Amino acid sequence: MEPGTLSTFLKRGAIWGFIVLQLVFFSIAGKYLSLSDTAFMDLDNMLLLLKQSAPIGIIAVGMTVIMINGNIDLSVGAIFALAAVVMLDSMTWPVFAGLGDWVIPVAWALALLTGIVLGAINGLIVWKTGVDAFIVTLGAMLGYRGLVFMYNGEQPTSHLNWTLVDFAEAQFLGLPTAAWFLLGTVAVVWFIMNRTVHGRNAYAIGDNREAAVNAGIRVGPHFLMNFMLIGFLAALSAVVFYSESGSVNPNDGQLYELWAITAVVLGGTKLTGGSGSIISTLGGVIAIQLLRKGLGHIGADTETVNLVIGLILIAVLFLDRQLNLKGKQELRV
């Protein structure tokens, strides 16, 4: 096997091996350390894990596209919260009072439109100013979070629609609604990244932006479309989550950008761009959720969970660097 092929296999296959290792470890450890009588690999546990993975997972899929492009978006948590506020609050607007349950798709559309517009603002600034996306979206994170607080102060925004709750809690073919949204998002974005010109351009731009420009790729509009995509997905994540919970606090979504980036990196996407996999990002999301759930199953506290995930992330970044060096025949052990 050639070095490049080995590197790709290890990056994209290792996350699934890590998941299997976690399942085996926590299943065995749980028999001796868990205070619960429920088996760790119980079917209901695994379905719940997939459902709980959906909010971060949907955002992480969009983050993968952005990072393959050589950018990053730190504003997704704030977009998530603002879209949720718009969705729940719009259901109570007098103008929609006569719609009954038809207000649900209207509220969804307004929330998704909010995400697209906020993403477009980020993309336009990155495109037209040339300022690094890290700086632009850091400012956007603070600005959009400020809008959340301006909207309703420090009070939660709440509206519980039981038709919406029933939809969110429903199962189809044994999978909860949130899981179908996650898997559908993965399938659609995978297709875009692997079967369309836009996807191929994303990899080309992330790998060598100057060469992409010389090849005639319109980098600015491409960035704009991808920031609109991640804005849409952040809003979709909010739609999926708050359709069931019915209440959003102004601080909701904080650190979501960091969890999403962690999942993307665990899935093997390069921080410098040009390489990454949507399917492996799904593995990264599941691995993080499995680690949090597994450590909780054996009695670990939140601080321990965060410490372990942080150490694993550092190890993955070190391994990624070593594998990149191996591709240049410079692997150091």
Short mmCIF file of all heavy atoms in Angstrom, two decimals, residues 11-23 25-26 40 46 49-50 52-54 56-57 60 182 259-260 262-268 278-296 305-306 308-310 312-313 316:
data_model
loop_
_atom_site.label_atom_id
_atom_site.label_comp_id
_atom_site.label_asym_id
_atom_site.label_seq_id
_atom_site.Cartn_x
_atom_site.Cartn_y
_atom_site.Cartn_z
N LYS A 11 -6.65 7.73 8.43
CA LYS A 11 -7.42 8.90 8.83
C LYS A 11 -8.92 8.63 8.80
O LYS A 11 -9.66 9.02 9.69
CB LYS A 11 -7.09 10.08 7.91
CG LYS A 11 -5.71 10.68 8.14
CD LYS A 11 -5.50 11.83 7.17
CE LYS A 11 -4.11 12.42 7.30
NZ LYS A 11 -3.87 13.50 6.34
N ARG A 12 -9.38 7.97 7.73
CA ARG A 12 -10.82 7.81 7.56
C ARG A 12 -11.36 6.55 8.22
O ARG A 12 -12.54 6.47 8.54
CB ARG A 12 -11.15 7.81 6.06
CG ARG A 12 -10.79 9.13 5.40
CD ARG A 12 -11.28 9.22 3.98
NE ARG A 12 -10.96 10.52 3.40
CZ ARG A 12 -11.28 10.89 2.17
NH1 ARG A 12 -11.94 10.06 1.39
NH2 ARG A 12 -10.96 12.08 1.72
N GLY A 13 -10.50 5.54 8.43
CA GLY A 13 -10.97 4.30 9.03
C GLY A 13 -10.77 4.24 10.53
O GLY A 13 -11.48 3.51 11.22
N ALA A 14 -9.82 5.03 11.04
CA ALA A 14 -9.48 4.94 12.46
C ALA A 14 -10.64 5.34 13.35
O ALA A 14 -10.83 4.77 14.43
CB ALA A 14 -8.26 5.83 12.75
N ILE A 15 -11.45 6.31 12.93
CA ILE A 15 -12.53 6.77 13.79
C ILE A 15 -13.55 5.68 14.05
O ILE A 15 -14.08 5.55 15.15
CB ILE A 15 -13.22 8.03 13.17
CG1 ILE A 15 -14.16 8.66 14.18
CG2 ILE A 15 -13.94 7.69 11.87
CD1 ILE A 15 -13.50 9.18 15.41
N TRP A 16 -13.78 4.83 13.05
CA TRP A 16 -14.75 3.74 13.23
C TRP A 16 -14.16 2.64 14.11
O TRP A 16 -14.87 2.02 14.90
CB TRP A 16 -15.19 3.20 11.88
CG TRP A 16 -15.83 4.29 11.06
CD1 TRP A 16 -15.29 4.95 10.01
CD2 TRP A 16 -17.12 4.87 11.27
NE1 TRP A 16 -16.15 5.91 9.54
CE2 TRP A 16 -17.29 5.87 10.28
CE3 TRP A 16 -18.15 4.63 12.18
CZ2 TRP A 16 -18.44 6.64 10.20
CZ3 TRP A 16 -19.31 5.40 12.09
CH2 TRP A 16 -19.45 6.39 11.12
N GLY A 17 -12.85 2.43 13.99
CA GLY A 17 -12.17 1.50 14.90
C GLY A 17 -12.23 2.00 16.33
O GLY A 17 -12.41 1.21 17.27
N PHE A 18 -12.08 3.31 16.50
CA PHE A 18 -12.15 3.92 17.82
C PHE A 18 -13.55 3.75 18.42
O PHE A 18 -13.70 3.49 19.62
CB PHE A 18 -11.79 5.40 17.71
CG PHE A 18 -11.82 6.15 19.01
CD1 PHE A 18 -11.15 5.68 20.13
CD2 PHE A 18 -12.52 7.34 19.12
CE1 PHE A 18 -11.17 6.37 21.34
CE2 PHE A 18 -12.56 8.05 20.32
CZ PHE A 18 -11.89 7.56 21.43
N ILE A 19 -14.57 3.87 17.59
CA ILE A 19 -15.95 3.67 18.06
C ILE A 19 -16.17 2.25 18.54
O ILE A 19 -16.76 2.01 19.60
CB ILE A 19 -16.95 4.04 16.94
CG1 ILE A 19 -16.95 5.56 16.72
CG2 ILE A 19 -18.35 3.53 17.25
CD1 ILE A 19 -17.76 6.01 15.51
N VAL A 20 -15.68 1.28 17.75
CA VAL A 20 -15.81 -0.13 18.15
C VAL A 20 -15.08 -0.38 19.47
O VAL A 20 -15.59 -1.07 20.37
CB VAL A 20 -15.26 -1.06 17.04
CG1 VAL A 20 -15.18 -2.51 17.53
CG2 VAL A 20 -16.12 -0.96 15.79
N LEU A 21 -13.89 0.20 19.60
CA LEU A 21 -13.10 0.05 20.83
C LEU A 21 -13.88 0.61 22.03
O LEU A 21 -13.90 0.00 23.11
CB LEU A 21 -11.77 0.78 20.67
CG LEU A 21 -10.76 0.64 21.82
CD1 LEU A 21 -10.32 -0.81 21.95
CD2 LEU A 21 -9.55 1.53 21.57
N GLN A 22 -14.51 1.76 21.85
CA GLN A 22 -15.30 2.35 22.93
C GLN A 22 -16.47 1.45 23.32
O GLN A 22 -16.75 1.25 24.52
CB GLN A 22 -15.86 3.71 22.50
CG GLN A 22 -14.84 4.84 22.45
CD GLN A 22 -15.54 6.16 22.22
OE1 GLN A 22 -16.09 6.75 23.13
NE2 GLN A 22 -15.53 6.64 20.98
N LEU A 23 -17.17 0.92 22.33
CA LEU A 23 -18.31 0.05 22.61
C LEU A 23 -17.90 -1.16 23.43
O LEU A 23 -18.57 -1.53 24.40
CB LEU A 23 -18.96 -0.40 21.29
CG LEU A 23 -19.73 0.68 20.52
CD1 LEU A 23 -20.13 0.16 19.15
CD2 LEU A 23 -20.97 1.13 21.29
N PHE A 25 -15.08 -1.46 25.30
CA PHE A 25 -14.56 -1.05 26.61
C PHE A 25 -15.68 -0.70 27.58
O PHE A 25 -15.72 -1.18 28.73
CB PHE A 25 -13.62 0.15 26.45
CG PHE A 25 -13.17 0.73 27.77
CD1 PHE A 25 -12.19 0.10 28.52
CD2 PHE A 25 -13.76 1.89 28.28
CE1 PHE A 25 -11.78 0.62 29.74
CE2 PHE A 25 -13.36 2.41 29.49
CZ PHE A 25 -12.37 1.78 30.23
N PHE A 26 -16.62 0.16 27.14
CA PHE A 26 -17.66 0.61 28.06
C PHE A 26 -18.66 -0.50 28.38
O PHE A 26 -19.27 -0.50 29.45
CB PHE A 26 -18.37 1.84 27.50
CG PHE A 26 -17.53 3.08 27.51
CD1 PHE A 26 -17.29 3.79 26.34
CD2 PHE A 26 -16.96 3.52 28.69
CE1 PHE A 26 -16.50 4.93 26.36
CE2 PHE A 26 -16.17 4.67 28.72
CZ PHE A 26 -15.93 5.37 27.55
N PHE A 40 -24.83 -1.12 28.49
CA PHE A 40 -24.40 0.06 27.74
C PHE A 40 -24.84 -0.01 26.28
O PHE A 40 -25.25 0.98 25.68
CB PHE A 40 -22.88 0.21 27.83
CG PHE A 40 -22.36 1.42 27.10
CD1 PHE A 40 -22.63 2.70 27.56
CD2 PHE A 40 -21.62 1.29 25.93
CE1 PHE A 40 -22.18 3.82 26.88
CE2 PHE A 40 -21.16 2.40 25.25
CZ PHE A 40 -21.44 3.67 25.73
N MET A 46 -28.54 3.12 22.33
CA MET A 46 -27.90 3.48 21.08
C MET A 46 -28.77 4.42 20.24
O MET A 46 -28.27 5.34 19.59
CB MET A 46 -27.56 2.21 20.28
CG MET A 46 -26.52 1.31 20.93
SD MET A 46 -24.91 2.13 21.17
CE MET A 46 -24.96 2.52 22.94
N LEU A 49 -28.53 7.76 21.78
CA LEU A 49 -27.24 8.35 21.46
C LEU A 49 -27.28 9.00 20.07
O LEU A 49 -26.78 10.11 19.88
CB LEU A 49 -26.15 7.28 21.52
CG LEU A 49 -24.71 7.74 21.22
CD1 LEU A 49 -23.73 7.00 22.12
CD2 LEU A 49 -24.33 7.49 19.77
N LEU A 50 -27.89 8.30 19.10
CA LEU A 50 -27.98 8.84 17.75
C LEU A 50 -28.84 10.10 17.73
O LEU A 50 -28.50 11.08 17.06
CB LEU A 50 -28.56 7.78 16.81
CG LEU A 50 -28.43 8.03 15.30
CD1 LEU A 50 -26.97 8.21 14.90
CD2 LEU A 50 -29.07 6.90 14.52
N GLN A 52 -29.30 12.17 20.28
CA GLN A 52 -28.56 13.23 20.95
C GLN A 52 -27.40 13.76 20.11
O GLN A 52 -26.93 14.87 20.34
CB GLN A 52 -28.04 12.73 22.30
CG GLN A 52 -29.14 12.45 23.32
CD GLN A 52 -28.64 11.77 24.57
OE1 GLN A 52 -27.58 11.12 24.57
NE2 GLN A 52 -29.38 11.89 25.66
N SER A 53 -26.96 12.97 19.15
CA SER A 53 -25.86 13.39 18.27
C SER A 53 -26.32 14.37 17.20
O SER A 53 -25.49 15.06 16.59
CB SER A 53 -25.24 12.16 17.59
OG SER A 53 -24.68 11.26 18.52
N ALA A 54 -27.64 14.43 16.96
CA ALA A 54 -28.15 15.19 15.82
C ALA A 54 -27.82 16.68 15.85
O ALA A 54 -27.34 17.22 14.83
CB ALA A 54 -29.66 14.97 15.68
N ILE A 56 -25.40 18.64 17.25
CA ILE A 56 -24.00 18.91 16.93
C ILE A 56 -23.63 18.29 15.59
O ILE A 56 -22.86 18.87 14.81
CB ILE A 56 -23.07 18.34 18.04
CG1 ILE A 56 -23.30 19.08 19.35
CG2 ILE A 56 -21.60 18.46 17.62
CD1 ILE A 56 -22.91 20.53 19.34
N GLY A 57 -24.19 17.13 15.29
CA GLY A 57 -23.84 16.42 14.06
C GLY A 57 -24.21 17.20 12.81
O GLY A 57 -23.42 17.28 11.86
N ALA A 60 -21.79 19.96 12.49
CA ALA A 60 -20.46 19.45 12.16
C ALA A 60 -20.34 19.12 10.68
O ALA A 60 -19.26 19.27 10.08
CB ALA A 60 -20.14 18.23 13.01
N LEU A 182 -30.38 14.00 10.78
CA LEU A 182 -28.92 13.90 10.75
C LEU A 182 -28.45 13.06 9.58
O LEU A 182 -27.57 13.48 8.81
CB LEU A 182 -28.42 13.29 12.07
CG LEU A 182 -26.93 12.95 12.14
CD1 LEU A 182 -26.07 14.19 11.91
CD2 LEU A 182 -26.59 12.30 13.48
N TRP A 259 -17.37 22.03 19.82
CA TRP A 259 -17.71 20.61 19.73
C TRP A 259 -17.76 20.16 18.28
O TRP A 259 -17.31 19.05 17.94
CB TRP A 259 -19.05 20.35 20.42
CG TRP A 259 -19.00 20.34 21.91
CD1 TRP A 259 -19.58 21.24 22.76
CD2 TRP A 259 -18.28 19.42 22.75
NE1 TRP A 259 -19.29 20.92 24.07
CE2 TRP A 259 -18.50 19.81 24.09
CE3 TRP A 259 -17.50 18.30 22.50
CZ2 TRP A 259 -17.96 19.12 25.17
CZ3 TRP A 259 -16.95 17.60 23.58
CH2 TRP A 259 -17.19 18.02 24.89
N ALA A 260 -18.32 21.01 17.41
CA ALA A 260 -18.39 20.65 15.99
C ALA A 260 -17.00 20.54 15.38
O ALA A 260 -16.70 19.59 14.65
CB ALA A 260 -19.22 21.70 15.24
N THR A 262 -14.24 19.89 16.96
CA THR A 262 -13.60 18.69 17.53
C THR A 262 -14.04 17.45 16.79
O THR A 262 -13.22 16.59 16.44
CB THR A 262 -13.96 18.56 19.03
OG1 THR A 262 -13.50 19.71 19.73
CG2 THR A 262 -13.32 17.33 19.63
N ALA A 263 -15.34 17.33 16.50
CA ALA A 263 -15.85 16.17 15.77
C ALA A 263 -15.26 16.09 14.36
O ALA A 263 -14.89 15.01 13.89
CB ALA A 263 -17.38 16.23 15.70
N VAL A 264 -15.17 17.24 13.71
CA VAL A 264 -14.62 17.29 12.35
C VAL A 264 -13.16 16.85 12.34
O VAL A 264 -12.73 16.06 11.49
CB VAL A 264 -14.77 18.70 11.75
CG1 VAL A 264 -14.07 18.79 10.40
CG2 VAL A 264 -16.25 19.06 11.60
N VAL A 265 -12.39 17.35 13.30
CA VAL A 265 -10.96 17.01 13.37
C VAL A 265 -10.79 15.53 13.72
O VAL A 265 -9.93 14.84 13.14
CB VAL A 265 -10.24 17.90 14.40
CG1 VAL A 265 -8.81 17.43 14.62
CG2 VAL A 265 -10.23 19.34 13.91
N LEU A 266 -11.60 15.03 14.66
CA LEU A 266 -11.53 13.60 14.99
C LEU A 266 -11.85 12.74 13.77
O LEU A 266 -11.33 11.63 13.63
CB LEU A 266 -12.52 13.27 16.12
CG LEU A 266 -12.12 13.66 17.53
CD1 LEU A 266 -13.24 13.32 18.51
CD2 LEU A 266 -10.83 12.97 17.96
N GLY A 267 -12.69 13.26 12.88
CA GLY A 267 -13.03 12.53 11.66
C GLY A 267 -11.96 12.59 10.59
O GLY A 267 -12.12 11.99 9.52
N GLY A 268 -10.88 13.33 10.85
CA GLY A 268 -9.75 13.33 9.93
C GLY A 268 -9.64 14.50 8.99
O GLY A 268 -8.74 14.54 8.14
N ILE A 278 -17.13 13.67 4.90
CA ILE A 278 -18.41 13.87 5.58
C ILE A 278 -18.76 12.64 6.43
O ILE A 278 -19.21 12.76 7.58
CB ILE A 278 -19.53 14.13 4.57
CG1 ILE A 278 -19.23 15.39 3.73
CG2 ILE A 278 -20.88 14.26 5.27
CD1 ILE A 278 -19.16 16.66 4.52
N ILE A 279 -18.56 11.46 5.88
CA ILE A 279 -18.88 10.22 6.59
C ILE A 279 -18.01 10.09 7.85
O ILE A 279 -18.48 9.69 8.91
CB ILE A 279 -18.68 9.00 5.69
CG1 ILE A 279 -19.56 9.10 4.43
CG2 ILE A 279 -19.00 7.71 6.45
CD1 ILE A 279 -21.04 9.14 4.72
N SER A 280 -16.74 10.44 7.74
CA SER A 280 -15.85 10.35 8.89
C SER A 280 -16.21 11.38 9.96
O SER A 280 -16.03 11.13 11.15
CB SER A 280 -14.39 10.54 8.46
OG SER A 280 -13.98 9.47 7.64
N THR A 281 -16.74 12.54 9.54
CA THR A 281 -17.22 13.51 10.51
C THR A 281 -18.38 12.93 11.31
O THR A 281 -18.47 13.13 12.53
CB THR A 281 -17.66 14.81 9.81
OG1 THR A 281 -16.49 15.49 9.31
CG2 THR A 281 -18.39 15.74 10.77
N LEU A 282 -19.28 12.21 10.64
CA LEU A 282 -20.36 11.52 11.35
C LEU A 282 -19.77 10.58 12.40
O LEU A 282 -20.26 10.52 13.54
CB LEU A 282 -21.24 10.74 10.37
CG LEU A 282 -22.33 9.87 11.00
CD1 LEU A 282 -23.33 10.72 11.77
CD2 LEU A 282 -23.05 9.05 9.91
N GLY A 283 -18.70 9.88 12.02
CA GLY A 283 -18.02 9.02 12.99
C GLY A 283 -17.46 9.81 14.15
O GLY A 283 -17.53 9.38 15.31
N GLY A 284 -16.91 11.00 13.87
CA GLY A 284 -16.37 11.85 14.93
C GLY A 284 -17.45 12.30 15.89
O GLY A 284 -17.24 12.33 17.11
N VAL A 285 -18.62 12.64 15.36
CA VAL A 285 -19.75 13.07 16.21
C VAL A 285 -20.19 11.91 17.10
O VAL A 285 -20.39 12.09 18.32
CB VAL A 285 -20.93 13.54 15.33
CG1 VAL A 285 -22.17 13.78 16.17
CG2 VAL A 285 -20.55 14.80 14.57
N ILE A 286 -20.35 10.73 16.51
CA ILE A 286 -20.78 9.57 17.28
C ILE A 286 -19.74 9.21 18.34
O ILE A 286 -20.08 8.86 19.47
CB ILE A 286 -21.04 8.37 16.34
CG1 ILE A 286 -22.24 8.67 15.44
CG2 ILE A 286 -21.26 7.09 17.13
CD1 ILE A 286 -22.49 7.63 14.37
N ALA A 287 -18.46 9.31 17.97
CA ALA A 287 -17.38 8.97 18.92
C ALA A 287 -17.42 9.89 20.14
O ALA A 287 -17.26 9.43 21.27
CB ALA A 287 -16.03 9.07 18.22
N ILE A 288 -17.63 11.19 19.91
CA ILE A 288 -17.69 12.14 21.03
C ILE A 288 -18.89 11.84 21.92
O ILE A 288 -18.77 11.78 23.15
CB ILE A 288 -17.75 13.59 20.51
CG1 ILE A 288 -16.40 13.99 19.91
CG2 ILE A 288 -18.12 14.55 21.64
CD1 ILE A 288 -16.41 15.36 19.27
N GLN A 289 -20.05 11.64 21.30
CA GLN A 289 -21.25 11.37 22.08
C GLN A 289 -21.13 10.05 22.83
O GLN A 289 -21.57 9.93 23.98
CB GLN A 289 -22.47 11.35 21.15
CG GLN A 289 -23.81 11.44 21.85
CD GLN A 289 -23.98 12.73 22.63
OE1 GLN A 289 -23.55 13.79 22.20
NE2 GLN A 289 -24.61 12.65 23.80
N LEU A 290 -20.50 9.07 22.19
CA LEU A 290 -20.29 7.76 22.81
C LEU A 290 -19.35 7.88 24.00
O LEU A 290 -19.56 7.26 25.05
CB LEU A 290 -19.71 6.80 21.77
CG LEU A 290 -19.76 5.30 22.05
CD1 LEU A 290 -21.19 4.83 22.29
CD2 LEU A 290 -19.16 4.55 20.87
N LEU A 291 -18.32 8.71 23.84
CA LEU A 291 -17.36 8.91 24.93
C LEU A 291 -18.02 9.61 26.11
O LEU A 291 -17.83 9.21 27.27
CB LEU A 291 -16.18 9.74 24.41
CG LEU A 291 -14.92 9.79 25.28
CD1 LEU A 291 -14.36 8.39 25.49
CD2 LEU A 291 -13.87 10.68 24.63
N ARG A 292 -18.81 10.62 25.84
CA ARG A 292 -19.51 11.33 26.91
C ARG A 292 -20.50 10.41 27.62
O ARG A 292 -20.58 10.39 28.85
CB ARG A 292 -20.25 12.55 26.33
CG ARG A 292 -19.32 13.60 25.76
CD ARG A 292 -20.05 14.66 24.98
NE ARG A 292 -20.83 15.56 25.83
CZ ARG A 292 -21.50 16.60 25.36
NH1 ARG A 292 -21.50 16.87 24.06
NH2 ARG A 292 -22.17 17.38 26.18
N LYS A 293 -21.25 9.65 26.84
CA LYS A 293 -22.24 8.74 27.41
C LYS A 293 -21.58 7.59 28.15
O LYS A 293 -22.01 7.19 29.23
CB LYS A 293 -23.15 8.21 26.30
CG LYS A 293 -24.46 7.64 26.78
CD LYS A 293 -25.36 7.31 25.61
CE LYS A 293 -26.74 6.91 26.06
NZ LYS A 293 -27.48 8.02 26.68
N GLY A 294 -20.48 7.06 27.57
CA GLY A 294 -19.78 5.93 28.17
C GLY A 294 -19.12 6.29 29.49
O GLY A 294 -19.21 5.54 30.47
N LEU A 295 -18.45 7.44 29.52
CA LEU A 295 -17.80 7.86 30.75
C LEU A 295 -18.83 8.17 31.84
O LEU A 295 -18.62 7.89 33.02
CB LEU A 295 -16.92 9.08 30.49
CG LEU A 295 -15.64 8.80 29.69
CD1 LEU A 295 -14.97 10.11 29.29
CD2 LEU A 295 -14.67 7.93 30.47
N GLY A 296 -19.97 8.74 31.41
CA GLY A 296 -21.04 8.96 32.37
C GLY A 296 -21.61 7.65 32.88
O GLY A 296 -21.99 7.52 34.05
N VAL A 305 -14.85 13.98 31.60
CA VAL A 305 -15.22 13.75 30.19
C VAL A 305 -14.53 14.76 29.29
O VAL A 305 -13.93 14.40 28.26
CB VAL A 305 -16.75 13.84 30.02
CG1 VAL A 305 -17.13 13.78 28.55
CG2 VAL A 305 -17.45 12.73 30.79
N ASN A 306 -14.59 16.05 29.65
CA ASN A 306 -13.98 17.09 28.82
C ASN A 306 -12.46 16.93 28.75
O ASN A 306 -11.84 17.16 27.71
CB ASN A 306 -14.33 18.47 29.37
CG ASN A 306 -15.79 18.82 29.18
OD1 ASN A 306 -16.45 18.25 28.31
ND2 ASN A 306 -16.30 19.73 29.98
N VAL A 308 -10.74 14.08 29.00
CA VAL A 308 -10.43 12.93 28.15
C VAL A 308 -10.59 13.29 26.68
O VAL A 308 -9.73 12.97 25.84
CB VAL A 308 -11.33 11.74 28.52
CG1 VAL A 308 -11.17 10.62 27.49
CG2 VAL A 308 -10.98 11.22 29.91
N ILE A 309 -11.69 13.98 26.33
CA ILE A 309 -11.90 14.36 24.94
C ILE A 309 -10.81 15.31 24.46
O ILE A 309 -10.31 15.21 23.34
CB ILE A 309 -13.29 15.01 24.77
CG1 ILE A 309 -14.39 13.96 24.99
CG2 ILE A 309 -13.44 15.63 23.38
CD1 ILE A 309 -15.80 14.52 24.96
N GLY A 310 -10.39 16.24 25.33
CA GLY A 310 -9.31 17.16 24.97
C GLY A 310 -8.00 16.44 24.70
O GLY A 310 -7.29 16.73 23.73
N ILE A 312 -7.65 13.30 23.81
CA ILE A 312 -7.79 12.51 22.58
C ILE A 312 -7.63 13.41 21.35
O ILE A 312 -6.99 13.03 20.37
CB ILE A 312 -9.16 11.80 22.55
CG1 ILE A 312 -9.17 10.67 23.59
CG2 ILE A 312 -9.46 11.23 21.16
CD1 ILE A 312 -10.51 10.01 23.77
N LEU A 313 -8.19 14.61 21.42
CA LEU A 313 -8.07 15.55 20.29
C LEU A 313 -6.61 15.90 20.04
O LEU A 313 -6.16 15.93 18.89
CB LEU A 313 -8.88 16.81 20.58
CG LEU A 313 -8.85 17.89 19.49
CD1 LEU A 313 -9.40 17.34 18.19
CD2 LEU A 313 -9.64 19.11 19.94
N VAL A 316 -4.99 13.00 18.35
CA VAL A 316 -5.39 12.89 16.95
C VAL A 316 -4.64 13.90 16.09
O VAL A 316 -4.19 13.58 14.98
CB VAL A 316 -6.92 13.09 16.82
CG1 VAL A 316 -7.32 13.29 15.36
CG2 VAL A 316 -7.65 11.89 17.40
#
